[in-house]
mmCIF file of all heavy atoms in Angstrom:
data_model
loop_
_atom_site.group_PDB
_atom_site.id
_atom_site.type_symbol
_atom_site.label_atom_id
_atom_site.label_comp_id
_atom_site.label_asym_id
_atom_site.label_seq_id
_atom_site.Cartn_x
_atom_site.Cartn_y
_atom_site.Cartn_z
ATOM 1 N N SER B 145 70.720 -48.411 43.282
ATOM 2 C CA SER B 145 71.621 -49.166 42.425
ATOM 3 C C SER B 145 72.216 -50.279 43.282
ATOM 4 O O SER B 145 72.430 -50.110 44.476
ATOM 5 C CB SER B 145 72.701 -48.258 41.852
ATOM 6 O OG SER B 145 73.309 -47.519 42.884
ATOM 7 N N ARG B 146 72.481 -51.428 42.655
ATOM 8 C CA ARG B 146 72.935 -52.571 43.446
ATOM 9 C C ARG B 146 73.546 -53.646 42.553
ATOM 10 O O ARG B 146 73.355 -53.646 41.335
ATOM 11 C CB ARG B 146 71.781 -53.182 44.242
ATOM 12 C CG ARG B 146 70.641 -53.688 43.367
ATOM 13 C CD ARG B 146 69.550 -54.317 44.184
ATOM 14 N NE ARG B 146 69.872 -55.695 44.530
ATOM 15 C CZ ARG B 146 69.787 -56.735 43.698
ATOM 16 N NH1 ARG B 146 69.408 -56.570 42.456
ATOM 17 N NH2 ARG B 146 70.084 -57.951 44.105
ATOM 18 N N GLY B 147 74.293 -54.551 43.189
ATOM 19 C CA GLY B 147 74.730 -55.756 42.494
ATOM 20 C C GLY B 147 75.766 -55.511 41.406
ATOM 21 O O GLY B 147 75.746 -56.206 40.397
ATOM 22 N N GLY B 148 76.663 -54.542 41.590
ATOM 23 C CA GLY B 148 77.684 -54.319 40.564
ATOM 24 C C GLY B 148 77.035 -53.829 39.291
ATOM 25 O O GLY B 148 76.366 -52.799 39.280
ATOM 26 N N LEU B 149 77.189 -54.590 38.216
ATOM 27 C CA LEU B 149 76.628 -54.154 36.926
ATOM 28 C C LEU B 149 75.150 -54.511 36.763
ATOM 29 O O LEU B 149 74.558 -54.211 35.735
ATOM 30 C CB LEU B 149 77.442 -54.762 35.773
ATOM 31 C CG LEU B 149 78.908 -54.325 35.691
ATOM 32 C CD1 LEU B 149 79.570 -54.924 34.450
ATOM 33 C CD2 LEU B 149 79.042 -52.812 35.669
ATOM 34 N N ILE B 150 74.563 -55.163 37.776
ATOM 35 C CA ILE B 150 73.161 -55.594 37.629
ATOM 36 C C ILE B 150 72.216 -54.391 37.604
ATOM 37 O O ILE B 150 71.332 -54.310 36.759
ATOM 38 C CB ILE B 150 72.747 -56.562 38.772
ATOM 39 C CG1 ILE B 150 73.664 -57.787 38.824
ATOM 40 C CG2 ILE B 150 71.276 -56.956 38.644
ATOM 41 C CD1 ILE B 150 73.501 -58.760 37.697
ATOM 42 N N ARG B 151 72.374 -53.475 38.518
ATOM 43 C CA ARG B 151 71.521 -52.285 38.495
ATOM 44 C C ARG B 151 72.373 -51.052 38.762
ATOM 45 O O ARG B 151 72.809 -50.827 39.884
ATOM 46 C CB ARG B 151 70.381 -52.384 39.526
ATOM 47 C CG ARG B 151 69.464 -51.153 39.532
ATOM 48 C CD ARG B 151 68.210 -51.351 40.361
ATOM 49 N NE ARG B 151 67.303 -52.277 39.709
ATOM 50 C CZ ARG B 151 66.373 -51.910 38.799
ATOM 51 N NH1 ARG B 151 66.223 -50.652 38.480
ATOM 52 N NH2 ARG B 151 65.603 -52.811 38.257
ATOM 53 N N VAL B 152 72.619 -50.297 37.718
ATOM 54 C CA VAL B 152 73.502 -49.146 37.826
ATOM 55 C C VAL B 152 72.749 -47.890 37.419
ATOM 56 O O VAL B 152 71.599 -47.962 36.986
ATOM 57 C CB VAL B 152 74.746 -49.315 36.922
ATOM 58 C CG1 VAL B 152 75.599 -50.471 37.391
ATOM 59 C CG2 VAL B 152 74.333 -49.504 35.469
ATOM 60 N N ARG B 153 73.405 -46.759 37.533
ATOM 61 C CA ARG B 153 72.766 -45.508 37.107
ATOM 62 C C ARG B 153 73.172 -45.160 35.668
ATOM 63 O O ARG B 153 72.352 -44.779 34.869
ATOM 64 C CB ARG B 153 73.123 -44.384 38.081
ATOM 65 C CG ARG B 153 72.579 -44.661 39.494
ATOM 66 C CD ARG B 153 72.478 -43.402 40.311
ATOM 67 N NE ARG B 153 73.800 -42.928 40.725
ATOM 68 C CZ ARG B 153 74.010 -41.746 41.281
ATOM 69 N NH1 ARG B 153 73.004 -40.920 41.504
ATOM 70 N NH2 ARG B 153 75.223 -41.373 41.648
ATOM 71 N N GLU B 154 74.458 -45.314 35.362
ATOM 72 C CA GLU B 154 74.887 -45.087 33.977
ATOM 73 C C GLU B 154 75.120 -46.431 33.310
ATOM 74 O O GLU B 154 75.801 -47.282 33.875
ATOM 75 C CB GLU B 154 76.170 -44.243 33.950
ATOM 76 C CG GLU B 154 76.637 -43.973 32.524
ATOM 77 C CD GLU B 154 77.789 -42.979 32.444
ATOM 78 O OE1 GLU B 154 77.825 -42.026 33.241
ATOM 79 O OE2 GLU B 154 78.653 -43.185 31.577
ATOM 80 N N PHE B 155 74.564 -46.626 32.129
ATOM 81 C CA PHE B 155 74.669 -47.928 31.494
ATOM 82 C C PHE B 155 74.656 -47.805 29.977
ATOM 83 O O PHE B 155 74.190 -46.816 29.428
ATOM 84 C CB PHE B 155 73.538 -48.853 31.952
ATOM 85 C CG PHE B 155 72.156 -48.268 31.826
ATOM 86 C CD1 PHE B 155 71.334 -48.579 30.752
ATOM 87 C CD2 PHE B 155 71.679 -47.375 32.780
ATOM 88 C CE1 PHE B 155 70.060 -48.026 30.630
ATOM 89 C CE2 PHE B 155 70.409 -46.811 32.669
ATOM 90 C CZ PHE B 155 69.598 -47.144 31.596
ATOM 91 N N THR B 156 75.181 -48.859 29.342
ATOM 92 C CA THR B 156 75.148 -48.937 27.891
ATOM 93 C C THR B 156 73.985 -49.835 27.508
ATOM 94 O O THR B 156 73.835 -50.920 28.047
ATOM 95 C CB THR B 156 76.448 -49.541 27.348
ATOM 96 O OG1 THR B 156 77.524 -48.686 27.718
ATOM 97 C CG2 THR B 156 76.409 -49.646 25.831
ATOM 98 N N MET B 157 73.179 -49.365 26.608
ATOM 99 C CA MET B 157 71.991 -50.119 26.250
ATOM 100 C C MET B 157 71.829 -50.163 24.741
ATOM 101 O O MET B 157 72.138 -49.209 24.049
ATOM 102 C CB MET B 157 70.777 -49.416 26.859
ATOM 103 C CG MET B 157 69.526 -50.224 26.767
ATOM 104 S SD MET B 157 68.287 -49.493 27.849
ATOM 105 C CE MET B 157 66.844 -50.273 27.129
ATOM 106 N N LYS B 158 71.387 -51.317 24.263
ATOM 107 C CA LYS B 158 70.909 -51.383 22.890
ATOM 108 C C LYS B 158 69.433 -51.087 22.952
ATOM 109 O O LYS B 158 68.687 -51.802 23.630
ATOM 110 C CB LYS B 158 71.153 -52.783 22.310
ATOM 111 C CG LYS B 158 70.823 -52.913 20.828
ATOM 112 C CD LYS B 158 69.353 -53.018 20.490
ATOM 113 C CE LYS B 158 68.748 -54.284 21.034
ATOM 114 N NZ LYS B 158 67.294 -54.366 20.764
#
Side-chain angles (χ1 to χ4, degrees):
Chain B
S145 51
R146 60 178 278 283
L149 297 184
I150 303 289
R151 180 170 289 272
V152 295
R153 297 200 287 170
E154 181 172 324
F155 52 99
T156 298
M157 190 166 162
K158 186 283 295 177

